[in-house]
Amino acid sequence: MQKYMDYIRDYSKNTYTQMVREPSGLLTEPFIVPGSCYSNCLWDWDSWLTNVAVRQIMMDNDDYNPEFIRCEKGCVINFLNNIVEDGRIPISILPDKVGDFFEEGRTFHKPCLAQHAAFIIKTNEGDAEWILPYIEKLQKFVDTYMEICRHEPTGLYFWPDDLAIGVDNDPCTFYRPPKSSASIYLNCFMYKELLSMVYICDLLGIESDIYLKEAENLKNAIREHLWDDRDGFYYSADLNLLPINKNDLLHSGAPRHWDCLIQRIGVWSGFLAMWAGIATKEQSERMVKEHLLNKDSFCADYGVCTLAKNEKMYCIVKTGNPSCWLGPIWGISNWMCFKGLVDYGFTNEAKELAEKTIKLFGKDIEQCGQMHEYYHPDTGEAVNNPGFQNWNLFVNNMIAWYEGRKYIKEF
């Protein structure tokens, strides 16, 4: 462990500034890129989570790099400067164009922009003045999710379609009809986004009750509709049901009394209910015991499989557009599961997952001199995209926790 931690620390300290970019074209503020083939593009959840991870590196080295600190706010401002009239913001932005298909009204920036802003504000001792000129745009963005992505019968949120949803080919959304997937990933993110808006608005003296009320409603909806007591796990839900027609004689005698159907597909993002603080203590115990530690499903030698091994769609393959989330180990899924374990008091399990992740990235740096985008769950072999940094750098946050030091986490 010590050897691998030293490799990781040295690599991180010497390379993290390679993700810094100066303003160019549509990107009028300095920004952060994920690394490797994404070398000149600002991405939504990538920039947020990279920011959190790099803050750990700077704290560990007592090196608060002013160049990188400029990029933190720059990422948020660049996105807000590219908002369109209906409140949507692109998933990605290049100097000369916004991400593909954005103009067609497809899936847009994930609900994590307020979370990014809240993290920066909290990290800077509650200084929210920099976001004040943009607060109406941020409100418009979150309000747009509430207006166009909310399923009224359940109170859950859905993806407009399956384009670039972060967990690219999650079978619960991938190749499914538009607006049919109440993704557990999306709903956990939206819950945290609403709480972030409450925090920001309260600091600025702006009314926040609408976001607080919606957050509470959403938490209840997630617990009601996405928790499966039979399996002891949080799943996504299918919203693609025909409307109830009282004049339809074949159905009118016993119309459906459910507004969605649980999708019993074992996807790692079910553990986000712990990351977001939505799962009850009793639920978390079942999730960990029956799923996270189950070697037939999620438990692997190098972390948490992104799709359970016992799913028919399980597949470890090198792909791009979409990237493969059908089983490979990703740095971000390991981190978010780890954080959920820590928050719910599963200290031994968190330590084991930290050790697996340290070993994964330490071996890669030792053998290849760099990190990759995703890995084989049982061999640790790199599958795709050498030079990828991004949220892999969260391994430094794990190391800090592992060594009993202060560790940085999301808002």
Side-chain angles (χ1 to χ4, degrees):
M1 283 295 108
Q2 189 61 52
K3 178 181 72 169
Y4 290 143
M5 288 190 289
D6 289 343
Y7 280 139
I8 290 166
R9 277 192 280 251
D10 289 345
Y11 171 84
S12 302
K13 179 181 178 181
N14 294 329
T15 62
Y16 81 87
T17 55
Q18 295 175 8
M19 296 183 291
V20 169
R21 296 293 182 273
E22 289 300 314
S24 178
L26 293 174
L27 296 160
T28 60
E29 303 289 329
F31 61 101
I32 304 166
V33 302
S36 66
C37 69
Y38 309 103
S39 61
N40 202 31
C41 188
L42 173 64
W43 289 85
D44 51 8
W45 70 317
D46 305 68
S47 61
W48 158 50
L49 294 166
T50 303
N51 187 175
V52 182
V54 168
R55 271 286 175 172
Q56 184 72 49
I57 299 169
M58 291 195 292
M59 186 175 71
D60 290 348
N61 293 282
D62 197 23
D63 174 27
Y64 293 94
N65 188 298
E67 209 177 339
F68 193 91
I69 291 172
R70 284 193 308 130
C71 293
E72 296 179 322
K73 298 174 184 176
C75 291
V76 174
I77 294 170
N78 278 323
F79 278 122
L80 291 172
N81 280 341
N82 283 275
I83 194 171
V84 296
E85 187 176 353
D86 64 5
R88 293 180 305 113
I89 293 175
I91 292 169
S92 60
I93 308 173
L94 287 157
D96 59 344
K97 66 174 185 176
V98 299
D100 294 335
F101 307 111
F102 178 66
E103 289 83 356
E104 299 177 13
R106 301 184 67 177
T107 292
F108 52 103
H109 193 300
K110 298 162 197 65
C112 59
L113 191 55
Q115 293 179 69
H116 194 172
F119 171 77
I120 296 170
I121 291 167
K122 191 170 183 179
T123 302
N124 290 284
E125 299 179 344
D127 176 17
E129 289 303 309
W130 66 273
I131 198 68
L132 185 57
Y134 307 95
I135 190 61
E136 290 184 4
K137 292 181 178 180
L138 185 59
Q139 288 177 297
K140 179 65 176 175
F141 167 70
V142 176
D143 292 351
T144 294
Y145 259 102
M146 295 168 63
E147 291 166 7
I148 71 173
C149 295
R150 187 177 185 276
H151 182 245
E152 289 299 327
T154 61
L156 297 171
Y157 286 78
F158 54 78
W159 292 120
D161 62 20
D162 69 346
L163 174 71
I165 57 170
V167 285
D168 292 0
N169 51 6
D170 173 359
C172 299
T173 305
F174 196 54
Y175 273 86
R176 286 190 45 77
K179 303 181 180 181
S180 68
S181 175
S183 161
I184 181 64
Y185 167 103
L186 170 63
N187 280 276
C188 288
F189 269 41
M190 190 65 195
Y191 173 68
K192 294 275 282 188
E193 189 80 342
L194 292 162
L195 293 181
S196 299
M197 284 300 296
V198 173
Y199 171 74
I200 295 170
C201 289
D202 285 351
L203 284 175
L204 295 175
I206 297 172
E207 179 60 49
S208 64
D209 283 355
I210 184 175
Y211 303 116
L212 183 61
K213 182 179 179 181
E214 179 62 10
E216 188 63 24
N217 290 341
L218 179 55
K219 180 173 71 173
N220 292 334
I222 293 170
R223 287 178 172 176
E224 178 183 357
H225 297 293
L226 302 185
W227 170 254
D228 182 38
D229 201 51
R230 188 189 77 176
D231 288 1
F233 199 64
Y234 273 95
Y235 292 115
S236 297
D238 178 14
L239 305 176
N240 192 32
L241 304 178
L242 293 173
I244 296 173
N245 182 354
K246 295 181 180 179
N247 297 320
D248 182 356
L249 294 179
L250 293 177
H251 299 89
S252 61
R256 62 175 171 84
H257 58 273
W258 53 93
D259 293 312
C260 64
L261 292 173
I262 205 86
Q263 291 178 295
R264 290 190 174 99
I265 300 173
V267 182
W268 76 274
S269 44
F271 296 110
L272 287 176
M274 293 173 61
W275 168 82
I278 292 170
T280 66
K281 180 61 177 175
E282 294 75 17
Q283 289 171 350
S284 73
E285 289 170 354
R286 290 195 63 187
M287 293 169 71
V288 171
K289 180 180 178 180
E290 299 174 29
H291 299 277
L292 191 74
L293 302 180
N294 187 342
K295 293 184 178 180
D296 292 328
S297 56
F298 289 104
C299 183
D301 290 343
Y302 287 88
V304 181
C305 294
T306 45
L307 186 71
K309 296 177 185 178
N310 51 14
E311 293 289 352
K312 289 186 176 181
M313 297 78 73
Y314 180 82
C315 180
I316 309 299
V317 63
K318 178 181 177 179
T319 61
N321 293 325
S323 297
C324 183
W325 291 80
L326 297 176
I329 300 295
W330 285 70
I332 189 56
S333 43
N334 269 15
W335 163 257
M336 288 181 150
C337 291
F338 164 84
K339 181 177 175 292
L341 290 170
V342 172
D343 289 349
Y344 278 78
F346 295 97
T347 304
N348 292 335
E349 292 80 2
K351 181 180 178 182
E352 182 179 353
L353 183 52
E355 289 175 344
K356 289 178 177 180
T357 310
I358 292 165
K359 182 180 177 183
L360 175 71
F361 291 123
K363 285 180 64 175
D364 197 16
I365 294 168
E366 180 182 37
Q367 295 169 5
C368 303
Q370 57 190 337
M371 296 176 174
H372 288 71
E373 191 168 16
Y374 53 89
Y375 299 82
H376 192 287
D378 293 315
T379 68
E381 180 183 358
V383 178
N384 195 29
N385 201 357
F388 187 81
Q389 292 168 282
N390 202 4
W391 44 51
N392 288 352
L393 296 175
F394 266 117
V395 67
N396 290 280
N397 306 56
M398 287 183 173
I399 290 171
W401 176 88
Y402 187 79
E403 294 182 330
R405 297 184 286 109
K406 179 182 177 182
Y407 75 103
I408 306 291
K409 53 187 177 180
E410 310 88 280
F411 174 81

